[in-house]
């Protein structure tokens, strides 16, 4: 649908707005249930405005710990998104734009390649496990492990990095528990839904869902996470 400002496209989950501003091509993406607005400028920079101070603070603290701290190796740091600029006043961060999309989109485009094919899936699984293991080794609970939070750095299936640390917690130990609601429902363990209890086990469960999605070619139940009975269905699983 065209407007005076540009092009607007409404999907089931997002509203996309394409505009030209002072010789820049700007894509704005919003979603009713999202905790942030996304603006893509000239396919090079992503500006993310986070609605909640707590999410913004955790994002910045975790990314700063990863890239400015001394505990991680250069290789370990390379597996995680870095911020090029941020504004505490506006709750806005700027990160590089990755044109290859995310791991969920990669799966959608290559379902036949991965469906029940463990050999094809293994490079992806190893990379995901490596990312989560590194975070846990350094006392970080990711809190929102999902295919959409792994950004492809190339077309190769095992070349992706982790992003979106608004649900993360630092200084965690193996038996630590945070009583807070975090994560994305279709990747959430039943105890997270019932008790709001999050720990390293939260990431491990979500990691298992990611692997299962690759092996079966998508969500375990397409309609499982829709409607008022969604949380009851998650508990049942």
């Amino acid at each position: 649908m065209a407007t005076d400002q540009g092009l607007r496209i409404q999907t089931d989950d997002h509203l996309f707005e394409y505009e030209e501003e002072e010789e820049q091509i700007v894509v704005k993406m919003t979603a009713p249930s999202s905790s942030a607005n996304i603006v893509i400028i000239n396919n090079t920079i992503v500006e993310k405005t986070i609605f909640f101070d707590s999410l913004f603070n955790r994002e910045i603290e975790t990314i700063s710990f990863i890239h400015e701290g001394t505990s991680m190796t250069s290789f370990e740091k390379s597996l995680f998104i870095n911020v090029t600029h941020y504004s505490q006043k506006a709750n806005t961060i700027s990160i590089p734009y990755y044109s290859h999309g995310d791991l969920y989109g990669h799966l959608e485009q290559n379902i036949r390649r991965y469906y029940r094919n463990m050999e094809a899936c293994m490079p992806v699984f190893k990379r995901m496990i490596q990312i989560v293991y590194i975070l846990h080794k350094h006392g970080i609970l990711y809190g929102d492990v999902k295919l959409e939070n792994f950004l492809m750095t190339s077309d190769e299936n095992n070349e992706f990095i982790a992003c979106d640390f608004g649900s993360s917690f630092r200084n965690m130990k193996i038996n630590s528990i945070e009583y807070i609601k975090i994560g994305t429902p279709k990747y959430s363990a039943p105890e997270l839904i019932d008790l709001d209890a999050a720990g390293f086990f939260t990431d491990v469960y979500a990691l298992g869902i990611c692997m299962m999605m690759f092996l079966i070619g998508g969500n375990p139940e397409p309609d499982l996470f829709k409607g008022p009975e969604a949380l009851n269905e998650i508990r049942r699983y």
Side-chain angles (χ1 to χ4, degrees):
M1 175 181 179
T3 69
D4 292 338
Q5 291 75 34
L7 181 68
R8 292 163 59 93
I9 299 176
Q10 180 71 59
T11 68
D12 290 340
D13 301 316
H14 296 87
L15 171 64
F16 296 89
E17 299 179 76
Y18 301 80
E19 302 177 1
E20 292 189 13
E21 299 178 359
E22 299 179 354
E23 299 182 353
Q24 290 185 334
I25 299 174
V26 178
V27 180
K28 299 178 181 179
M29 183 177 71
T30 57
S33 60
S34 177
S35 59
N37 276 343
I38 305 295
V39 177
I40 304 171
I41 302 175
N42 286 344
N43 285 346
T44 56
I45 295 293
V46 176
E47 290 189 353
K48 178 180 177 182
T49 302
I50 302 172
F51 300 147
F52 304 102
D53 290 346
S54 60
L55 300 183
F56 175 82
N57 291 335
R58 288 202 293 265
E59 179 116 24
I60 294 300
E61 288 172 3
T62 297
I63 292 176
S64 296
F65 174 82
I66 291 172
H67 290 284
E68 297 176 13
T70 59
S71 60
M72 287 197 185
T73 66
S74 297
F75 170 74
E76 289 176 336
K77 293 179 180 182
S78 71
L79 299 178
F80 304 98
I81 195 77
N82 200 359
V83 171
T84 58
H85 174 77
Y86 71 90
S87 168
Q88 190 87 37
K89 183 177 180 179
N91 275 17
T92 299
I93 65 173
S94 297
I95 59 177
Y97 172 70
Y98 291 90
S99 61
H100 298 283
D102 58 38
L103 201 51
Y104 186 86
H106 176 75
L107 171 61
E108 284 190 318
Q109 295 170 9
N110 298 276
I111 288 178
R112 292 185 178 180
R113 175 182 179 182
Y114 295 111
Y115 182 68
R116 296 188 177 183
N117 187 339
M118 183 61 76
E119 184 178 356
C121 290
M122 279 306 296
V124 181
F125 294 173
K126 287 180 179 179
R127 182 71 161 223
M128 287 193 292
I129 293 170
Q130 187 177 41
I131 286 172
V132 173
Y133 168 76
I134 290 170
L135 290 174
H136 290 185
K137 183 177 71 170
H138 292 279
I140 301 171
L141 165 67
Y142 197 156
D144 199 13
V145 175
K146 59 182 179 180
L147 298 182
E148 295 87 340
N149 279 346
F150 295 118
L151 301 179
M152 305 294 296
T153 56
S154 79
D155 288 328
E156 295 298 321
N157 62 351
N158 65 334
E159 294 188 7
F160 52 86
I161 61 175
C163 71
D164 197 347
F165 294 96
S167 296
S168 64
F169 285 88
R170 290 179 50 227
N171 301 316
M172 296 285 288
K173 296 181 180 179
I174 191 167
N175 293 321
S176 297
I177 294 178
E178 289 284 345
Y179 289 95
I180 188 171
K181 189 178 291 295
I182 57 174
T184 301
K186 70 180 179 181
Y187 296 91
S188 295
E191 60 268 22
L192 186 59
I193 299 297
D194 285 331
L195 304 175
D196 293 342
F200 286 156
F201 53 84
T202 306
D203 287 346
V204 174
Y205 181 96
L207 194 58
I209 294 294
C210 291
M211 294 178 181
M212 182 169 62
M213 289 172 67
F214 258 79
L215 284 170
I216 68 174
N219 292 332
E221 294 283 350
D223 297 321
L224 178 60
F225 311 103
K226 298 179 182 179
E229 299 301 318
L231 296 185
N232 287 334
E233 289 297 314
I234 293 172
R235 293 188 184 98
R236 186 167 65 84
Y237 275 72

